[in-house]
Amino acid sequence: MKVSNIIPYFKEELNSIADAREITAWAYLVIQYLLDLNRSDTIVYSNKVISIKNSDYIKRIIKELKENKPIQYILGEAEFYGLKFKVNKHTLIPRQETEELVEWILKEEFSSALDIGTGSGCIAITLAKNTNAKITAIDVSEDALQVAKENARINEVEINFLQQDILQTTSLPKTDVIVSNPPYVLKSEKEKMQQNILQYEPHLALFPPDKEPLLFYRKIGNLAVKSLNCGGKLYFEINEQYGIEILEMLSKIGFVDIALKKDINDKDRMIKAIWK
């Protein structure tokens, strides 16, 4: 197999499970991962013959893609805000919506930040990489924290990682910014979800109790009023269905200048609130 054969091979094998655009994107990710060739390189080295080992690896990747396994879990890595992150079954795959949340935060000045439910560490590490702020990150999962610590090492940043169940927490360290992308997908929404998410991404990080969809937001909001410094800011990624309810909840707690922001898909996805 030559480099020029890889993309057609992906399309031929996978055309029944995804559209051509997504399949092509998968193929380029695999080429970059296995051969360290970017899109331009694939043209320059189109006639390069790949090894039998890599050819067999490509066949295994395609087999797993046919089983709905996300490409990021197959390769064990994902990109977020221009950085590389290791991911596995214990962490969610970083998403574009969360990049938009981080970009919003980075427009502010702050000297400390706390990331609640850090998962792969993508939010905390990106904030550390792009500021001089002191960053703390917590997660209930020790397995997720091991991944996050490895990602911090890879991206050469210092993060204070803590294993902590936010629902059992009574106080948080003083800080300028609190950010959280907590579980917000309702179990009743499962039937609308892609199978690769349901089968492979950690349900602990996806689903709050259906009877208490705002459980994490309420808990974090109440902790934040005792933790945020004067003028400190609270940021959430949210389920689009509950934007107004979360706004009202934060207002009752005492937050001001509460803003609801849409993502690139025009869905209510982010909230910022200020504590004065």
Side-chain angles (χ1 to χ4, degrees):
M1 183 185 290
K2 294 181 180 180
V3 170
S4 60
N5 301 134
I6 296 175
I7 293 174
Y9 181 60
F10 265 72
K11 289 180 178 179
E12 180 184 352
E13 290 292 321
L14 300 170
N15 60 20
S16 63
I17 67 168
D19 60 38
R21 184 177 178 181
E22 187 170 21
I23 294 169
T24 301
W26 291 341
Y28 277 123
L29 284 173
V30 171
I31 291 168
Q32 178 76 58
Y33 179 81
L34 283 182
L35 308 176
D36 196 25
L37 299 177
N38 60 33
R39 294 194 177 212
S40 298
D41 293 335
T42 60
I43 299 171
V44 177
Y45 297 100
S46 61
N47 288 320
K48 179 179 179 181
V49 177
I50 66 174
S51 67
I52 294 175
K53 179 181 178 181
N54 281 335
S55 180
D56 288 342
Y57 199 168
I58 287 171
K59 290 174 184 176
R60 290 201 301 273
I61 288 171
I62 285 175
K63 181 176 182 292
E64 291 187 276
L65 285 169
K66 288 179 178 178
E67 296 166 354
N68 287 315
K69 189 170 185 179
I71 188 69
Q72 294 89 346
Y73 288 154
I74 295 171
L75 302 182
E77 65 180 33
E79 185 173 307
F80 182 86
Y81 215 82
L83 302 173
K84 290 287 187 184
F85 289 86
K86 288 190 176 298
V87 293
N88 62 25
K89 64 182 181 180
H90 303 295
T91 66
L92 293 179
I93 297 167
R95 287 176 167 79
Q96 185 176 10
E97 296 91 337
T98 310
E99 287 185 324
E100 294 178 62
L101 176 64
V102 169
E103 189 168 9
W104 200 15
I105 299 170
L106 288 172
K107 291 178 180 178
E108 307 287 347
E109 291 187 7
F110 54 93
S111 59
S112 57
L114 171 64
D115 176 24
I116 298 173
T118 196
S120 66
C122 64
I123 294 177
I125 290 165
T126 304
L127 293 179
K129 197 73 175 176
N130 289 276
T131 71
N132 293 317
K134 179 181 178 183
I135 310 294
T136 300
I138 68 175
D139 203 286
V140 67
S141 168
E142 177 60 30
D143 291 320
L145 283 174
Q146 290 304 317
V147 177
K149 289 174 182 177
E150 175 66 7
N151 283 328
R153 186 192 65 77
I154 291 168
N155 287 289
E156 300 179 322
V157 295
E158 290 290 331
I159 308 282
N160 179 30
F161 288 107
L162 302 171
Q163 185 180 9
Q164 203 166 322
D165 182 350
I166 194 64
L167 297 179
Q168 303 299 319
T169 297
T170 56
S171 65
L172 295 169
K174 297 294 283 186
T175 188
D176 292 333
V177 167
I178 292 176
V179 56
S180 184
N181 177 16
Y184 65 66
V185 180
L186 302 182
K187 291 180 181 176
S188 57
E189 295 178 302
K190 278 186 176 182
E191 62 184 34
K192 301 176 185 177
M193 295 176 67
Q194 293 178 323
Q195 282 303 306
N196 59 355
I197 296 175
L198 274 177
Q199 287 180 238
Y200 293 100
E201 298 207 44
H203 287 201
L204 179 67
L206 286 171
F207 301 110
D210 258 21
K211 293 181 180 179
E212 294 184 88
L214 304 187
L215 175 65
F216 289 94
Y217 298 99
R218 185 173 292 108
K219 176 69 176 185
I220 293 168
N222 284 314
L223 288 171
V225 300
K226 297 178 284 187
S227 173
L228 284 171
N229 294 323
C230 184
K233 297 175 178 66
L234 173 63
Y235 291 87
F236 282 133
E237 185 172 324
I238 66 166
N239 185 318
E240 63 185 288
Q241 297 185 51
Y242 293 103
I244 301 302
E245 289 184 49
I246 296 172
L247 284 177
E248 293 173 350
M249 180 195 72
L250 293 175
S251 180
K252 287 179 182 178
I253 291 173
F255 284 92
V256 298
D257 297 334
I258 306 170
L260 177 61
K261 186 177 176 67
K262 293 183 182 296
D263 64 20
I264 195 170
N265 298 310
D266 201 37
K267 295 181 179 180
D268 291 339
R269 187 63 67 202
M270 296 157 271
I271 283 180
K272 176 176 76 171
I274 299 176
W275 180 251
K276 291 188 176 179

